[in-house]
Tab-separated table of all heavy atoms in Angstrom:
chain	number	residue	atom	x	y	z
A	1091	VAL	N	-12.971	3.177	10.972
A	1091	VAL	CA	-11.950	2.139	11.067
A	1091	VAL	C	-10.564	2.771	11.201
A	1091	VAL	O	-9.760	2.378	12.065
A	1091	VAL	CB	-12.005	1.208	9.838
A	1091	VAL	CG1	-10.854	0.199	9.883
A	1091	VAL	CG2	-13.343	0.496	9.768
A	1092	LEU	N	-10.280	3.753	10.360
A	1092	LEU	CA	-8.965	4.395	10.394
A	1092	LEU	C	-8.764	5.196	11.680
A	1092	LEU	O	-7.662	5.224	12.237
A	1092	LEU	CB	-8.783	5.285	9.163
A	1092	LEU	CG	-8.788	4.536	7.822
A	1092	LEU	CD1	-8.569	5.512	6.670
A	1092	LEU	CD2	-7.738	3.435	7.791
A	1093	VAL	N	-9.814	5.834	12.150
A	1093	VAL	CA	-9.725	6.546	13.431
A	1093	VAL	C	-9.466	5.550	14.554
A	1093	VAL	O	-8.675	5.809	15.473
A	1093	VAL	CB	-11.014	7.353	13.684
A	1093	VAL	CG1	-11.011	7.923	15.101
A	1093	VAL	CG2	-11.140	8.486	12.661
A	1094	ALA	N	-10.093	4.376	14.474
A	1094	ALA	CA	-9.928	3.361	15.517
A	1094	ALA	C	-8.498	2.833	15.594
A	1094	ALA	O	-8.041	2.430	16.673
A	1094	ALA	CB	-10.894	2.201	15.276
A	1095	ILE	N	-7.783	2.813	14.468
A	1095	ILE	CA	-6.399	2.331	14.495
A	1095	ILE	C	-5.407	3.461	14.753
A	1095	ILE	O	-4.191	3.250	14.669
A	1095	ILE	CB	-6.023	1.569	13.204
A	1095	ILE	CG1	-6.053	2.488	11.981
A	1095	ILE	CG2	-6.933	0.364	13.012
A	1095	ILE	CD1	-5.496	1.832	10.716
A	1096	GLY	N	-5.923	4.654	15.064
A	1096	GLY	CA	-5.050	5.733	15.496
A	1096	GLY	C	-4.724	6.784	14.466
A	1096	GLY	O	-3.940	7.709	14.752
A	1097	ARG	N	-5.302	6.706	13.284
A	1097	ARG	CA	-5.072	7.759	12.294
A	1097	ARG	C	-5.824	9.020	12.710
A	1097	ARG	O	-6.939	8.942	13.228
A	1097	ARG	CB	-5.538	7.327	10.907
A	1097	ARG	CG	-4.860	6.085	10.348
A	1097	ARG	CD	-3.363	6.242	10.237
A	1097	ARG	NE	-2.747	5.112	9.555
A	1097	ARG	CZ	-1.474	4.783	9.659
A	1097	ARG	NH1	-0.664	5.511	10.440
A	1097	ARG	NH2	-0.986	3.758	9.009
A	1098	THR	N	-5.215	10.164	12.472
A	1098	THR	CA	-5.916	11.416	12.723
A	1098	THR	C	-7.054	11.557	11.720
A	1098	THR	O	-7.046	10.921	10.655
A	1098	THR	CB	-4.973	12.611	12.571
A	1098	THR	OG1	-4.534	12.690	11.201
A	1098	THR	CG2	-3.774	12.494	13.498
A	1099	ALA	N	-8.026	12.395	12.051
A	1099	ALA	CA	-9.154	12.608	11.137
A	1099	ALA	C	-8.654	13.124	9.793
A	1099	ALA	O	-9.147	12.715	8.731
A	1099	ALA	CB	-10.149	13.582	11.759
A	1100	GLU	N	-7.661	13.994	9.836
A	1100	GLU	CA	-7.112	14.563	8.602
A	1100	GLU	C	-6.452	13.491	7.745
A	1100	GLU	O	-6.686	13.408	6.535
A	1100	GLU	CB	-6.101	15.658	8.936
A	1100	GLU	CG	-5.461	16.318	7.717
A	1100	GLU	CD	-4.458	17.381	8.107
A	1100	GLU	OE1	-4.888	18.406	8.683
A	1100	GLU	OE2	-3.255	17.196	7.861
A	1101	LEU	N	-5.639	12.650	8.369
A	1101	LEU	CA	-4.955	11.606	7.613
A	1101	LEU	C	-5.953	10.563	7.108
A	1101	LEU	O	-5.816	10.048	5.986
A	1101	LEU	CB	-3.884	10.945	8.479
A	1101	LEU	CG	-2.885	10.014	7.768
A	1101	LEU	CD1	-2.166	10.748	6.645
A	1101	LEU	CD2	-1.884	9.446	8.767
A	1102	ALA	N	-6.963	10.286	7.912
A	1102	ALA	CA	-7.976	9.308	7.503
A	1102	ALA	C	-8.718	9.760	6.248
A	1102	ALA	O	-9.156	8.930	5.443
A	1102	ALA	CB	-8.961	9.066	8.639
A	1103	GLN	N	-8.838	11.070	6.062
A	1103	GLN	CA	-9.536	11.590	4.879
A	1103	GLN	C	-8.732	11.404	3.602
A	1103	GLN	O	-9.240	11.635	2.506
A	1103	GLN	CB	-9.847	13.083	5.074
A	1103	GLN	CG	-10.829	13.383	6.185
A	1103	GLN	CD	-12.280	13.167	5.781
A	1103	GLN	OE1	-12.568	12.439	4.849
A	1103	GLN	NE2	-13.199	13.804	6.488
A	1104	SER	N	-7.482	10.971	3.722
A	1104	SER	CA	-6.626	10.802	2.546
A	1104	SER	C	-6.504	9.340	2.134
A	1104	SER	O	-5.653	8.994	1.321
A	1104	SER	CB	-5.223	11.342	2.846
A	1104	SER	OG	-4.515	10.480	3.733
A	1105	SER	N	-7.349	8.475	2.665
A	1105	SER	CA	-7.163	7.044	2.442
A	1105	SER	C	-7.505	6.621	1.016
A	1105	SER	O	-8.345	7.214	0.335
A	1105	SER	CB	-8.013	6.238	3.434
A	1105	SER	OG	-9.390	6.427	3.172
A	1106	LEU	N	-6.826	5.577	0.593
A	1106	LEU	CA	-7.060	4.960	-0.709
A	1106	LEU	C	-7.069	3.450	-0.527
A	1106	LEU	O	-6.110	2.887	0.006
A	1106	LEU	CB	-5.959	5.357	-1.700
A	1106	LEU	CG	-5.982	4.639	-3.057
A	1106	LEU	CD1	-7.193	5.079	-3.882
A	1106	LEU	CD2	-4.692	4.898	-3.828
A	1107	ARG	N	-8.155	2.807	-0.960
A	1107	ARG	CA	-8.238	1.351	-0.911
A	1107	ARG	C	-8.193	0.793	-2.328
A	1107	ARG	O	-8.983	1.195	-3.188
A	1107	ARG	CB	-9.528	0.886	-0.231
A	1107	ARG	CG	-9.620	-0.635	-0.092
A	1107	ARG	CD	-10.954	-1.078	0.487
A	1107	ARG	NE	-12.070	-0.835	-0.421
A	1107	ARG	CZ	-13.339	-1.100	-0.147
A	1107	ARG	NH1	-13.651	-1.591	1.044
A	1107	ARG	NH2	-14.308	-0.846	-1.022
A	1108	LEU	N	-7.258	-0.104	-2.555
A	1108	LEU	CA	-7.154	-0.825	-3.818
A	1108	LEU	C	-7.427	-2.292	-3.511
A	1108	LEU	O	-6.641	-2.933	-2.810
A	1108	LEU	CB	-5.760	-0.657	-4.430
A	1108	LEU	CG	-5.278	0.788	-4.650
A	1108	LEU	CD1	-3.810	0.802	-5.041
A	1108	LEU	CD2	-6.131	1.482	-5.709
A	1109	SER	N	-8.538	-2.818	-3.993
A	1109	SER	CA	-8.889	-4.209	-3.689
A	1109	SER	C	-8.903	-5.024	-4.984
A	1109	SER	O	-9.626	-4.716	-5.924
A	1109	SER	CB	-10.230	-4.298	-2.959
A	1109	SER	OG	-11.232	-3.541	-3.605
A	1110	LEU	N	-8.076	-6.043	-4.988
A	1110	LEU	CA	-7.806	-6.837	-6.183
A	1110	LEU	C	-8.801	-7.967	-6.375
A	1110	LEU	O	-9.531	-8.331	-5.450
A	1110	LEU	CB	-6.391	-7.405	-6.097
A	1110	LEU	CG	-5.282	-6.350	-6.045
A	1110	LEU	CD1	-4.152	-6.804	-5.146
A	1110	LEU	CD2	-4.793	-6.033	-7.442
A	1111	GLY	N	-8.785	-8.541	-7.580
A	1111	GLY	CA	-9.667	-9.650	-7.886
A	1111	GLY	C	-9.061	-10.586	-8.909
A	1111	GLY	O	-7.917	-10.419	-9.339
A	1112	ARG	N	-9.851	-11.555	-9.319
A	1112	ARG	CA	-9.357	-12.623	-10.187
A	1112	ARG	C	-8.936	-12.132	-11.571
A	1112	ARG	O	-8.139	-12.786	-12.252
A	1112	ARG	CB	-10.407	-13.734	-10.309
A	1112	ARG	CG	-11.696	-13.318	-10.988
A	1112	ARG	CD	-12.785	-14.392	-10.838
A	1112	ARG	NE	-12.345	-15.679	-11.337
A	1112	ARG	CZ	-12.489	-16.067	-12.599
A	1112	ARG	NH1	-13.015	-15.247	-13.491
A	1112	ARG	NH2	-12.090	-17.270	-12.981
A	1113	ASP	N	-9.481	-11.015	-12.031
A	1113	ASP	CA	-9.201	-10.545	-13.382
A	1113	ASP	C	-8.032	-9.566	-13.465
A	1113	ASP	O	-7.642	-9.178	-14.576
A	1113	ASP	CB	-10.450	-9.884	-13.976
A	1113	ASP	CG	-11.607	-10.858	-14.133
A	1113	ASP	OD1	-11.337	-12.031	-14.462
A	1113	ASP	OD2	-12.765	-10.458	-13.924
A	1114	ASN	N	-7.489	-9.140	-12.328
A	1114	ASN	CA	-6.388	-8.180	-12.366
A	1114	ASN	C	-5.089	-8.831	-12.832
A	1114	ASN	O	-4.870	-10.024	-12.626
A	1114	ASN	CB	-6.193	-7.534	-10.998
A	1114	ASN	CG	-7.343	-6.627	-10.621
A	1114	ASN	OD1	-7.997	-6.825	-9.598
A	1114	ASN	ND2	-7.636	-5.623	-11.441
A	1115	THR	N	-4.229	-8.031	-13.471
A	1115	THR	CA	-3.006	-8.545	-14.089
A	1115	THR	C	-1.780	-7.757	-13.638
A	1115	THR	O	-1.891	-6.642	-13.108
A	1115	THR	CB	-3.097	-8.449	-15.620
A	1115	THR	OG1	-3.154	-7.052	-16.002
A	1115	THR	CG2	-4.330	-9.165	-16.153
A	1116	GLU	N	-0.612	-8.328	-13.882
A	1116	GLU	CA	0.655	-7.655	-13.597
A	1116	GLU	C	0.763	-6.356	-14.403
A	1116	GLU	O	1.261	-5.338	-13.903
A	1116	GLU	CB	1.828	-8.581	-13.946
A	1116	GLU	CG	1.973	-9.793	-13.049
A	1116	GLU	CD	2.701	-9.479	-11.748
A	1116	GLU	OE1	3.044	-8.296	-11.513
A	1116	GLU	OE2	2.916	-10.419	-10.964
A	1117	LYS	N	0.301	-6.385	-15.632
A	1117	LYS	CA	0.348	-5.192	-16.480
A	1117	LYS	C	-0.457	-4.050	-15.863
A	1117	LYS	O	-0.035	-2.886	-15.905
A	1117	LYS	CB	-0.186	-5.525	-17.873
A	1117	LYS	CG	-0.117	-4.380	-18.866
A	1117	LYS	CD	-0.645	-4.806	-20.236
A	1117	LYS	CE	-0.608	-3.636	-21.219
A	1117	LYS	NZ	-1.144	-4.045	-22.562
A	1118	GLU	N	-1.600	-4.391	-15.296
A	1118	GLU	CA	-2.420	-3.364	-14.665
A	1118	GLU	C	-1.717	-2.766	-13.453
A	1118	GLU	O	-1.781	-1.546	-13.221
A	1118	GLU	CB	-3.766	-3.953	-14.260
A	1118	GLU	CG	-4.667	-4.292	-15.434
A	1118	GLU	CD	-5.986	-4.901	-15.005
A	1118	GLU	OE1	-6.048	-5.481	-13.895
A	1118	GLU	OE2	-6.962	-4.804	-15.768
A	1119	ILE	N	-1.052	-3.605	-12.678
A	1119	ILE	CA	-0.341	-3.105	-11.500
A	1119	ILE	C	0.782	-2.171	-11.930
A	1119	ILE	O	1.015	-1.128	-11.296
A	1119	ILE	CB	0.212	-4.279	-10.663
A	1119	ILE	CG1	-0.932	-5.190	-10.210
A	1119	ILE	CG2	0.996	-3.749	-9.461
A	1119	ILE	CD1	-2.083	-4.500	-9.538
A	1120	THR	N	1.464	-2.513	-13.006
A	1120	THR	CA	2.512	-1.632	-13.540
A	1120	THR	C	1.922	-0.270	-13.894
A	1120	THR	O	2.503	0.784	-13.567
A	1120	THR	CB	3.153	-2.259	-14.797
A	1120	THR	OG1	3.789	-3.485	-14.430
A	1120	THR	CG2	4.174	-1.318	-15.422
A	1121	GLN	N	0.759	-0.264	-14.520
A	1121	GLN	CA	0.125	0.999	-14.908
A	1121	GLN	C	-0.283	1.818	-13.684
A	1121	GLN	O	-0.125	3.043	-13.665
A	1121	GLN	CB	-1.088	0.728	-15.790
A	1121	GLN	CG	-1.687	1.990	-16.407
A	1121	GLN	CD	-2.720	1.674	-17.465
A	1121	GLN	OE1	-2.717	0.577	-18.051
A	1121	GLN	NE2	-3.617	2.617	-17.725
A	1122	VAL	N	-0.798	1.142	-12.659
A	1122	VAL	CA	-1.180	1.851	-11.431
A	1122	VAL	C	0.044	2.493	-10.792
A	1122	VAL	O	0.011	3.667	-10.364
A	1122	VAL	CB	-1.866	0.897	-10.442
A	1122	VAL	CG1	-2.076	1.580	-9.087
A	1122	VAL	CG2	-3.196	0.411	-11.003
A	1123	LEU	N	1.144	1.760	-10.727
A	1123	LEU	CA	2.361	2.274	-10.100
A	1123	LEU	C	3.025	3.371	-10.936
A	1123	LEU	O	3.803	4.175	-10.406
A	1123	LEU	CB	3.342	1.127	-9.848
A	1123	LEU	CG	2.900	0.120	-8.777
A	1123	LEU	CD1	3.881	-1.046	-8.694
A	1123	LEU	CD2	2.769	0.799	-7.415
A	1124	GLU	N	2.704	3.423	-12.204
A	1124	GLU	CA	3.197	4.511	-13.053
A	1124	GLU	C	2.312	5.751	-12.947
A	1124	GLU	O	2.753	6.849	-13.256
A	1124	GLU	CB	3.253	4.045	-14.517
A	1124	GLU	CG	4.344	3.031	-14.817
A	1124	GLU	CD	4.274	2.505	-16.241
A	1124	GLU	OE1	3.248	2.759	-16.924
A	1124	GLU	OE2	5.213	1.812	-16.665
């Protein structure tokens, strides 16, 4: 998918997906960003 949108193979290997749900909170997002 990342190669298809033009990312190099090297950059594609650095990907991070964060997928949220009903139980996630603002406090958790603060902790992730810290």
